[in-house]
Structures are given as structure tokens and as C-alpha cells.
Amino acid sequence: MNSQSQVESTLKEILEVVKPLHEGWVTRFKIINELREVVQSIENLRGATVEPFGSFVSNLFSRWGDLDISIEVSFGQCVSSAGKKRKQTLLGELLRALRKQGGWSRLKFIPSARVPILKIVSKWQNISCDISIDNIQGEIKSKFLFWLNEIDGRFRDMVLLVKEWAKANGINNPKTGTFNSYSLSLLVIFHFQTCVPPILPPLKDIYPTNVVDDLTGAKVDAERRIAQVCSSNIARFKSSTSRIVNRSSLSELFISFIAKFSEINLKASELGICTFTGQWEYIANNTRWLPRTYAIFIEDPFEQPENSARAVGQKQLVKIAEVFETTRCILISANITRNTLLPTLVGPQTSRFLIKKHPTVYPNSNYRYYRNTPPQAHRVVQSPLQTQYHLWQPQYKNSRPSTSQMQHQGPRMVPSTPKPQSQFVRMRVPNGPRLPNHQFQKPNPSVPQDQVQVQVQPQIQRPRTEGYNVKFGTRGPHQVQHNQGQMWRPKYDK
């Protein structure tokens, strides 16, 4: 196995471990429902809604990812936001209610943060939760990342791999002066915009103005307007006959990503990263960014000219560049093995799952290496995440996906009848959880699970009910249906 093949197989093995399981989706919904009960028990929060956002909504969270929650006190009618003091007061009341109820640990209130946050850890799988008030900006950014994720399936894989690698190397923690996860996602977007040929367009081609400036009026109407513009522009980009499709493998994209930013500390002194225009921009020529007081500038494309990497310090930027360069040297070295790659690419939590793989000796070879354990056959679960955060798009006569779309949709390897030397058949697993509509019901124990139906709403609405409903599918080819008010569904992973 050559170096390129070794990197490719190792990255895919890591993805099998870090992608969330079905239990992870169910547990997070359970946490959301419990928080709703607590919120409704507080006099000043009755009628408020509990909305997830962040990586959970964008479908970019890992098995051990945290959960971001926004409590909307505007009751979903108008785009508004409580003042900072009001947010502090409400989060303080929520903190007391959670302590009184019990079942939550490591409760920490950070009222002085730019956005006041209440941090808690659930008794369910010890999932960490960050709770804020009226964080509509966070909600719309999460939906944008979800829509981008559906342009090309490799985007999600790269984000998961990059975040895992960054955590393993200590550069994914804004508290220590390094990148937050949102900045890392923007770096992946930028890489996909600047690789040859590009995979993603400049974000101005998807939404031509500053998103947060257009969050005005009725919240549902504002979201619908933004979604319609994005849906139309994304469809135009994907259907363009002049676009050259990038067919790079995951390992090629990962290695070129690491190489692109291996001297990021040197470039950052003069150049800023702008995903809105999809190119490096000279800081001195960008009036939006001046006066510059940051070690590195990664502009938030949805909230310009905010710097998503404002927490990064100059000393830590040097460390970040060193991590990139060290990783680059390892990835391109000769005679690379799985055992030399893993300490660089994953942290201890992921390593514990990977080291369970058993070594296999192959005939006619003078070395041993760990074979990827084939994914187990499993039933595909369609959760309530399938019914929200859709884009409005026209009907198409031919709903069959194009060859390029099918190629990058990320087919899974599902084992066939056991054969010698672990032979497999490749097939497409039906897509799984979409983003939550929250208009779902508790499962009825008297109804067989395979008959439970998901209620699909034509537009985003606020939750007033609890519980969830699932529909169990069977393995088989998935036929894409372009329904009014729906966009692509995120892949579901075991």
C-alpha cells in the first residue's frame, strides 16, 4: 500500500468512528425536550421556544460533539433580540431552575461573554450544552453551512476530519488562543473555493449581501426569503454546464488543505481569508477590516466584517502554523503507516475506538497492518431532523441525481454475504436525519415502528409539542425527490 492509499484508508477509518450514531441524534432530541420543560416552568420564559443550532443543525457534529441551544423569547414573530442585561437575567433564572430540577452537571454561567452563555452537561451521554438567548444569527449561519454541506458530500467529511485533527493537536480551543470550530469550517470552505478546479463558489454567488442585515421583519418571512435566494443560486451553480467537476479524493483534499495553510502565520500578516469573495485579500486594501488588530483575519461571511478568529493570539498562530507544517511532512513522507498517522490525526478519545481493530496478516506480504473493520449492516433511521431547514426550490421533471452528484454523495460500504478476504458490494444507503422541524409527536407503542410516519411541514415553524417520531427504512437505492419546500437531505451514518 503506497502512502496516498494509506492516508485515504486511514481517513475513511477515522470517519467511521467520529460520525454520530443514531443514539446520538435521539439523545440530543431528548435533551432539547427536557430543556423545553424547564423553560416552560419559568414564569418569564413561558411561551419561549428552544431552538438547536451550530454543528447539530448544520450536520457537521461528531459523535462527541456538543449541543448549541438558543432560547427565543421573541416567540417567533419578529426578528428581535433581548438586550444583554435581559439575556443575563433570563439565563440566571434558567440556571436556578436547572439546579433545582437536578440531572445536570458542571453548570457554569458566563454573563460577561460577548454573547452571554450558560454551559451545562447533560446526564445523557455527558453531552455538553451551550445555551444562549435569541441567537438568531447563530441559527441562520448553521443553516447556511447545512446548505453548503449538501452541494458536495466531501465538505462534511473534511470538516469532521479537520476538527478531529485540530483537537488532537491542541489548536481547536479559542480559550487557549486557537481556532474555534466555526473558523475551522470556514477554512474548509475557503479551501474548497480555492482548490483547482473549485468545489464551492464564492459565497457572494450564493447570497450576494450580508445575511444578518436581511434578518428583519417577521422571522419566518426573513428565513424564507433567504432560503429562496440560496436555493436558486445553489441550483444554478450545480447545474452549470461550464463548471468543471473536481474529482479529488478525500486524501488529496486533506493533504492539500494542510499544505495550503502550513505558512499561515506568514500570510496572515498581510492577507485575510475571505470566503465571501472566495480569495485571499490584502488587509491594507480592505476598508471593512481596518484598523486591523488581530493576529489572523478570517472574515465571517454572514456577519461581515466580524472576524471569526478574533480569539487567536500571535504566539498561538505560530504554534498553529507549526502543527500544519509538521502534519504536512508526515502526510507526504515515504513508508507511512497507519500507526504513524493516527497520533497526528486523532485524539485519545477516537484512538480508543481505533485500536480495537485487530491486525491481519495478508499472504505474500512481509508486513502487518491494521485492516479497516467493515461497517456493520444496520437499519436506516429517518429521524425528525429530516423535516426542517429546507430550501424552496422548483419542481424538476427528472428527479434522478446527476452522475457527478451521485459520485460525491458519499456512498457507504455495506457488507454482502460473507466471502473470503472480506469482499463487499457498494450500495447507496438512504439518507437519514434532516434538520429538525420540531413538529413531531411521541411514538405510539401500540403502532409498529415500521408504520410510524413523519409529519413534514411546508415551512419552518416553532415547536410547541414534545417527543419525536421516527420512520425505519430498509437498505436499498435512494431516489431523490424534489418536493416543493425541500432541499437535499443529509446522509445518516451508523
Side-chain angles (χ1 to χ4, degrees):
M1 181 179 291
N2 59 36
S3 298
Q4 186 79 34
S5 299
Q6 184 63 71
V7 174
E8 183 78 18
S9 64
T10 304
L11 292 177
K12 290 182 177 179
E13 185 180 0
I14 293 171
L15 282 173
E16 285 295 326
V17 172
V18 300
K19 286 182 177 179
L21 304 175
H22 166 61
E23 291 76 10
W25 294 95
V26 174
T27 300
R28 284 164 175 79
F29 277 119
K30 187 182 298 185
I31 294 172
I32 293 170
N33 286 332
E34 288 191 355
L35 285 174
R36 287 200 185 104
E37 294 178 359
V38 177
V39 167
Q40 294 306 311
S41 69
I42 301 173
E43 181 66 28
N44 289 331
L45 287 175
R46 285 181 184 169
T49 59
V50 176
E51 302 287 348
F53 68 99
S55 60
F56 181 60
V57 166
S58 60
N59 197 28
L60 299 175
F61 73 104
S62 68
R63 181 185 297 193
W64 303 282
D66 57 7
L67 182 61
D68 295 304
I69 297 291
S70 172
I71 299 176
E72 295 188 5
V73 298
S74 58
F75 311 112
Q77 297 300 319
C78 296
V79 177
S80 60
S81 179
K84 189 170 185 177
K85 289 186 178 180
R86 174 66 171 164
K87 293 179 180 180
Q88 294 170 342
T89 300
L90 294 175
L91 288 176
E93 293 183 20
L94 178 60
L95 173 62
R96 290 188 289 272
L98 290 171
R99 283 175 174 166
K100 182 178 179 180
Q101 184 196 53
W104 309 87
S105 62
R106 286 180 271 176
L107 291 85
K108 184 179 181 181
F109 183 29
I110 310 177
S112 59
R114 179 172 174 263
V115 176
I117 291 178
L118 174 60
K119 291 180 171 289
I120 61 175
V121 175
S122 171
K123 61 184 176 183
W124 306 108
Q125 297 184 6
N126 291 322
I127 294 177
S128 300
C129 305
D130 290 350
I131 305 175
S132 53
I133 302 290
D134 280 344
N135 199 337
I136 186 173
Q137 289 86 357
E139 293 178 46
I140 197 66
K141 292 175 188 179
S142 305
K143 295 173 188 178
F144 259 97
L145 292 181
F146 171 64
W147 298 333
L148 290 175
N149 173 31
E150 292 305 311
I151 293 179
D152 193 295
R154 293 171 294 179
F155 173 67
R156 180 194 183 206
D157 291 344
M158 276 288 293
V159 170
L160 292 176
L161 290 170
V162 167
K163 289 200 294 187
E164 177 66 29
W165 162 78
K167 289 178 182 177
N169 289 276
I171 59 171
N172 184 202
N173 188 353
K175 294 180 180 179
T176 60
T178 56
F179 291 132
N180 56 33
S181 295
Y182 182 52
S183 295
L184 291 172
S185 297
L186 292 179
L187 286 181
V188 175
I189 292 174
F190 186 75
H191 178 52
F192 275 38
Q193 292 171 331
T194 54
C195 59
V196 180
I199 299 173
L200 295 177
L203 297 189
K204 64 182 179 63
D205 292 348
I206 295 178
Y207 198 80
T209 59
N210 207 19
V211 175
V212 295
D213 293 340
D214 294 335
L215 289 173
T216 58
K219 185 173 185 292
V220 173
D221 292 340
E223 289 178 334
R224 184 184 294 111
R225 289 194 304 269
I226 293 171
Q228 288 174 338
V229 173
C230 292
S231 175
S232 175
N233 289 331
I234 287 175
R236 184 182 299 109
F237 172 76
K238 295 182 69 175
S239 62
S240 174
T241 56
S242 61
R243 182 171 69 97
I244 301 175
V245 178
N246 185 307
R247 304 187 184 279
S248 299
S249 65
L250 194 60
S251 57
E252 290 172 334
L253 289 172
F254 188 82
I255 293 172
S256 58
F257 171 84
I258 297 297
K260 182 171 294 182
F261 299 111
S262 61
E263 295 182 347
I264 193 170
N265 59 322
L266 302 179
K267 291 184 177 180
S269 60
E270 295 183 354
L271 299 171
I273 294 172
C274 184
T275 55
F276 187 71
T277 61
Q279 59 187 9
W280 297 93
E281 292 206 5
Y282 282 97
I283 297 172
N285 297 337
N286 194 321
T287 57
R288 298 196 312 270
W289 296 350
L290 297 175
R292 177 181 176 275
T293 58
Y294 302 107
I296 183 174
F297 210 107
I298 304 177
E299 186 181 57
D300 187 333
F302 313 117
E303 195 174 0
Q304 306 163 34
E306 291 294 325
N307 180 12
S308 66
R310 56 184 171 273
V312 177
Q314 188 61 51
K315 291 183 179 180
Q316 292 302 314
L317 182 60
V318 175
K319 173 188 174 181
I320 290 171
E322 290 175 350
V323 170
F324 271 99
E325 177 60 20
T326 300
T327 304
R328 186 189 70 84
C329 293
I330 293 174
L331 291 174
I332 64 175
S333 61
N335 301 321
I336 195 170
T337 67
R338 175 184 184 272
N339 291 338
T340 57
L341 279 172
L342 289 181
T344 302
L345 300 179
V346 301
Q349 192 171 28
T350 304
S351 293
R352 286 196 293 269
F353 287 85
L354 292 169
I355 61 177
K356 294 179 182 179
K357 314 285 186 184
H358 298 291
T360 301
V361 180
Y362 287 85
N364 303 323
S365 66
N366 57 3
Y367 63 90
R368 305 173 75 198
Y369 70 96
Y370 289 87
R371 173 178 60 84
N372 290 345
T373 299
Q376 299 177 356
H378 62 283
R379 62 185 180 180
V380 177
V381 181
Q382 297 180 348
S383 83
L385 277 178
Q386 291 177 302
T387 56
Q388 193 186 8
Y389 303 144
H390 46 262
L391 287 180
W392 306 90
Q393 65 181 34
Q395 297 284 346
Y396 294 95
K397 294 182 179 179
N398 182 10
S399 62
R400 184 177 182 85
S402 66
T403 302
S404 61
Q405 289 173 334
M406 295 179 66
Q407 178 179 357
H408 300 310
Q409 190 66 21
R412 292 176 56 85
M413 299 291 289
V414 179
S416 62
T417 303
K419 297 179 181 179
Q421 299 183 2
S422 299
Q423 296 181 4
F424 300 94
V425 293
R426 183 182 295 272
M427 68 179 292
R428 187 177 302 283
V429 176
N431 288 340
R434 285 177 73 86
L435 300 177
N437 191 322
H438 300 303
Q439 294 289 349
F440 40 84
Q441 302 174 348
K442 293 182 178 179
N444 187 345
S446 65
V447 179
Q449 288 297 320
D450 59 354
Q451 297 181 11
V452 178
Q453 300 295 323
V454 177
Q455 290 185 340
V456 181
Q457 301 296 329
Q459 60 185 7
I460 303 171
Q461 299 185 6
R462 291 297 160 276
R464 292 301 174 92
T465 59
E466 301 173 1
Y468 63 92
N469 198 355
V470 298
K471 179 178 180 181
F472 296 96
T474 57
R475 291 180 296 151
H478 175 59
Q479 294 182 350
V480 179
Q481 296 181 352
H482 297 275
N483 296 325
Q484 182 67 25
Q486 286 188 334
M487 197 182 171
W488 312 275
R489 299 184 297 179
K491 295 181 292 300
Y492 172 72
D493 305 285
K494 176 178 177 296

